[in-house]
């Protein structure tokens, strides 16, 4: 059996069927979502071209969950994401999202540490925590390496980055007060 630290390799055949290389069987998007919820990283590649299709399939999984009413992303966030693709601000959005999710993860870890020392263990708690970690990882995984550099002047970018850092610090302060 492969090391659980290695990504689970899923190959997409020309028929668009997805093949799990570990178990030698075909899988569905829901199966892939299950692997991710269990904490596994996945990599989905096109068998013929070798293209990495992971991002495309993860977005499809999210879209299917959102369309079934399992909304995690507020409408305003989705709207802002769409807007970011058509503006010069798109270059700072991935970094902002990655830092925001990292702050969320840190805040969650701190809260869980505090919670764990104050309350008895809740049944299913580890599964919930693994699900949240997998979601955050899926949302932030590889975002920054696929975005272009800022198209602004260096001084403008520095000012924007400074403002973002200030806002992130304020959010982190608010999160720490909630713990």
């Amino acid at each position: 059996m492969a090391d659980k630290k290695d990504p689970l390799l899923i190959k997409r055949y020309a028929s668009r069927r997805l093949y799990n290389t570990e178990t030698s069987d075909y899988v569905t998007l829901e199966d892939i979502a299950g692997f991710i919820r269990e904490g596994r990283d996945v990599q989905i590649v096109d068998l013929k071209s070798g293209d990495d299709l992971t991002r495309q399939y993860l977005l499809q999984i999210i879209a299917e969950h959102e369309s079934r009413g399992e909304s995690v992303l507020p409408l305003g966030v989705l709207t802002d994401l769409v807007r970011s693709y058509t503006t010069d601000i798109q270059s700072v959005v991935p970094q902002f999202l990655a830092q925001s999710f990292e702050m969320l993860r840190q805040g969650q870890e701190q809260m869980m540490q505090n919670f764990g020392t104050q309350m008895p263990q809740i049944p299913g708690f580890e599964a919930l925590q693994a699900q949240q970690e997998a979601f955050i990882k899926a949302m932030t995984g590889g975002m920054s390496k696929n975005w272009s550099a800022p198209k602004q002047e260096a001084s403008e970018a520095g000012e924007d980055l400074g403002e973002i850092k200030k806002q992130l610090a304020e959010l982190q302060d608010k999160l720490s007060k909630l713990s």
Side-chain angles (χ1 to χ4, degrees), residues 4 22 34 37 44 61 65 68-69 88 118 120 126 148 150 152 161 173-174 179:
K4 296 294 182 187
E22 272 186 17
R37 281 187 211 102
I44 303 168
I61 290 168
H65 283 275
R68 289 192 300 235
D88 288 335
Q118 298 169 1
E126 284 101 12
S148 61
Q152 302 171 323
L161 187 57
D173 185 48
K174 287 179 183 178
S179 308

Side-chain angles (χ1 to χ4, degrees), residues 66-82:
E66 289 285 323
S67 70
R68 289 192 300 235
E70 302 171 24
S71 299
V72 171
L73 300 169
L75 187 58
V77 170
L78 292 171
T79 302
D80 288 341
L81 281 172
V82 170

